[in-house]
Amino acid sequence: MASIAFPEFAKLQTLSTSHTYDYVYHAAAPSRATILFLHGFPSSCYDWRHQIHQFIELGYGVLAPDLLGYGGTSKPTGVEEYKLKSMAKEIIELLDHEGLTRVHAVAHDTGCNLLSRLADYYPNWLLSCTFIGAPYSKPGEHFDLGMVNRFTKQLLGFEKCGYIGFFIEDEAGSTLDQHADSFFSLFYPDSPDLWAGHLGPVGAAKAWLQNDKQGPLASYVSDEERTMHNKILQGHHKPALNWYHALVRNVNKDDEVEANLCAKLKMPVLMIGPQPNKFEIPGFLEQMKDIAEDFTLKRVSTTSHWIQLDAREELNAILEAFFARPDFAGKM
């Protein structure tokens, strides 16, 4: 959480919804834009540590919140409070509170779902969108977990999203808390190939945890960083899982259909992925070229899902070059 990991930049703000956000904020130098970082699961703003420090040194402004249900931010229990429309509105309220009107938005994993709706509901607030590891999600679509698992098993040879079925079980949060080391080694593995056998298939993640299995740990997370991660997440996995409950229950669909949102992005869009691996659906990232008018796809050298950690230098260089485009000058 921001207040633990970045005490020198941490702020707390209670919004009109009565939710309090714990976030990192550092103002931009003159002529520099501000970057909004949106993390995924199981994470917090701490997963952006290598980007936060780097871009502050370069003079960029940074706003990196612990998203709803995570870290030091409010953790409501009602699934309806995790609607993307309302969470997007809260992010805009945070930006407005800091006097920001246009930002570069960068998201990873489930944070890409939130960025998708920010781009749909509030396009004028975004100088650009960067999706890391997961592409833009189209508005108003019905999510059918069973269908996704059947499709991916036929395509890849294993279900890709079996873990989501476990995550929406009543005891999932406590299971993650009770087997924190096992869960960490599953979600931050030395090789993402582990996920093909122990995360994606139906029942595999639950079995991994209940047997307290552990695999080789990722080399890009130090012991100190792992301790910090566990300090932030331990005992708080259950509220974060509400993002998955909201997905499976399709709580966003009616809002998006009613708003008549169009799956077209007019701002410049950057998609950053790993090297193709067993867990990636072929063409999944490339399909964004049909949605974004100004689209760039980059891949880093690693196959890891955790690009901001494992390929930190490559990612930072890609982002720095993207933000330096001449057409962004004077638009802050």
Side-chain angles (χ1 to χ4, degrees):
M1 63 183 71
S3 56
I4 292 178
F6 307 98
E8 70 274 35
F9 304 131
K11 300 186 74 171
L12 284 172
Q13 178 63 25
T14 300
L15 306 179
S16 59
T17 55
S18 297
H19 293 156
T20 298
Y21 274 72
D22 189 10
Y23 63 102
V24 167
Y25 180 66
H26 188 275
S31 79
R32 288 292 199 188
T34 294
I35 308 166
L36 169 68
F37 288 105
L38 304 171
H39 66 78
F41 177 91
S43 192
S44 69
C45 67
Y46 183 57
D47 265 5
W48 297 113
R49 54 193 175 272
H50 304 299
Q51 289 68 50
I52 288 171
H53 291 299
Q54 174 75 15
F55 283 95
I56 286 176
E57 287 180 10
L58 292 171
Y60 286 90
V62 167
L63 197 157
D66 290 336
L67 296 176
L68 198 67
Y70 291 92
T73 292
S74 294
K75 302 174 182 63
T77 57
V79 174
E80 292 287 321
E81 296 196 63
Y82 292 82
K83 284 187 174 185
L84 294 172
K85 180 180 180 180
S86 58
M87 292 192 294
K89 185 178 180 181
E90 290 181 334
I91 296 300
I92 294 301
E93 190 173 341
L94 270 185
L95 297 179
D96 187 56
H97 172 72
E98 296 297 349
L100 303 170
T101 55
R102 300 193 79 190
V103 296
H104 293 293
V106 179
H108 177 250
D109 189 66
T110 52
C112 292
N113 293 339
L114 179 55
L115 177 53
S116 298
R117 295 297 83 81
L118 273 171
D120 291 334
Y121 286 116
Y122 302 99
N124 293 335
W125 287 76
L126 304 181
L127 284 165
S128 71
C129 294
T130 298
F131 297 84
I132 302 175
Y136 169 87
S137 61
K138 293 181 181 179
E141 294 198 332
H142 182 81
F143 181 79
D144 184 330
L145 179 58
M147 183 184 71
V148 170
N149 280 328
R150 289 190 297 272
F151 169 75
T152 52
K153 185 170 186 178
Q154 182 178 18
L155 182 68
L156 303 174
F158 59 90
E159 300 99 342
K160 182 178 170 70
C161 296
Y163 65 95
I164 295 179
F166 163 55
F167 281 176
I168 61 173
E169 292 182 7
D170 289 342
E171 300 304 315
S174 59
T175 301
L176 300 186
D177 289 336
Q178 291 164 14
H179 300 276
D181 289 339
S182 175
F183 181 51
F184 189 90
S185 75
L186 177 61
F187 257 70
Y188 295 84
D190 180 55
S191 170
D193 288 351
L194 181 75
W195 287 4
H198 297 287
L199 183 69
V202 172
K206 184 176 182 178
W208 175 279
L209 294 169
Q210 288 181 333
N211 291 314
D212 210 30
K213 294 182 69 174
Q214 295 192 34
L217 289 173
S219 59
Y220 51 82
V221 179
S222 68
D223 289 342
E224 181 181 355
E225 289 171 328
R226 181 182 177 186
T227 298
M228 176 66 78
H229 174 96
N230 288 340
K231 184 177 182 180
I232 293 169
L233 271 295
Q234 184 59 34
H236 299 300
H237 287 102
K238 184 175 182 177
L241 292 175
N242 278 311
W243 285 63
Y244 291 98
H245 285 276
L247 174 66
V248 174
R249 295 186 195 181
N250 286 285
V251 302
N252 299 296
K253 184 178 178 180
D254 289 346
D255 287 338
E256 293 162 10
V257 170
E258 182 180 347
N260 195 28
L261 299 177
C262 178
K264 287 290 182 183
L265 303 179
K266 297 184 181 298
M267 72 288 290
V269 173
L270 175 62
M271 176 76 237
I272 303 175
Q275 289 298 303
N277 56 63
K278 291 182 180 180
F279 216 66
E280 182 178 317
I281 298 172
F284 193 50
L285 306 185
E286 288 80 359
Q287 67 180 337
M288 281 187 60
K289 69 180 184 295
D290 299 324
I291 294 167
E293 295 181 0
D294 181 340
F295 177 65
T296 302
L297 172 63
K298 297 285 188 179
R299 288 186 183 271
V300 295
S301 59
T302 179
T303 57
S304 174
H305 173 72
W306 300 100
I307 290 172
Q308 71 272 49
L309 302 175
D310 192 18
R312 63 194 73 166
E313 293 88 359
E314 289 179 75
L315 173 62
N316 290 355
I318 292 170
L319 290 176
E320 186 178 352
F322 181 59
F323 299 151
R325 283 176 35 159
D327 52 317
F328 289 138
K331 292 183 178 180
M332 284 79 80

